[in-house]
Amino acid sequence: YHLRIAMRYSDVHVQRIPLPGVVRSVREVGAGYRYPDDLKHLDNVSVVTEIDSPLGVYELRQITTLFTRRIKNTLRPGQRVALGEKFGNILLGSTVLLSLPRRGVTLSAKQYQKIYAGETILARFS
């Protein structure tokens, strides 16, 4: 499953761990800085974090924009992470792409739903 969460300047930009596990890797990928409505936005400079969880590997991608070029990610390979733990933010808004394993996951969030940091349940895990 892929969940794309777009953030505006006025939104809270803290990202939290959706499933506990161990960080596999943290790497910077992509090139350029484009507006979120540009078709190549997902190719922008991004920080991609892979985490091993009890349900399988999942990925968190923090994506920059033309105006938001600073990503903060505090995770390191081998680090254990807990559900709900803060791991970073994108200063002044942008996009987070969450890729979850299909096994044991039921999506709760709906398309275009407003997401509230630390409150909105994106998916349920069994």
Side-chain angles (χ1 to χ4, degrees):
Y1 293 112
H2 300 287
L3 295 172
R4 183 177 176 192
I5 303 165
M7 295 175 288
R8 298 178 310 245
Y9 295 118
S10 60
D11 291 332
V12 174
H13 301 111
V14 172
Q15 287 98 52
R16 295 177 183 269
I17 297 296
L19 278 171
V22 177
V23 177
R24 262 191 177 186
S25 66
V26 179
R27 65 190 190 285
E28 188 173 298
V29 299
Y33 301 95
R34 297 168 196 83
Y35 288 108
D37 56 353
D38 186 311
L39 293 176
K40 293 187 177 188
H41 172 247
L42 296 180
D43 297 333
N44 283 1
V45 171
S46 304
V47 173
V48 178
T49 304
E50 286 187 340
I51 298 177
D52 257 326
S53 80
L55 296 178
V57 176
Y58 69 93
E59 180 180 285
L60 298 159
R61 180 179 293 247
Q62 298 165 287
I63 306 169
T64 62
T65 68
L66 186 61
F67 299 110
T68 58
R69 297 179 181 211
R70 291 179 42 206
I71 294 173
K72 180 179 177 186
N73 184 312
T74 59
L75 302 177
R76 300 291 169 254
Q79 179 179 345
R80 290 197 174 281
V81 292
L83 177 70
E85 179 180 335
K86 293 178 185 178
F87 75 89
N89 61 19
I90 306 168
L91 304 175
L92 297 176
S94 189
T95 305
V96 173
L97 187 61
L98 172 60
S99 299
L100 296 168
R102 289 189 178 270
R103 188 185 85 227
V105 176
T106 304
L107 296 181
S108 299
K110 306 294 182 218
Q111 187 171 0
Y112 305 114
Q113 176 182 344
K114 182 150 178 72
I115 303 296
Y116 295 94
E119 294 179 22
T120 302
I121 296 172
L122 302 177
R124 302 227 181 250
F125 310 98
S126 54

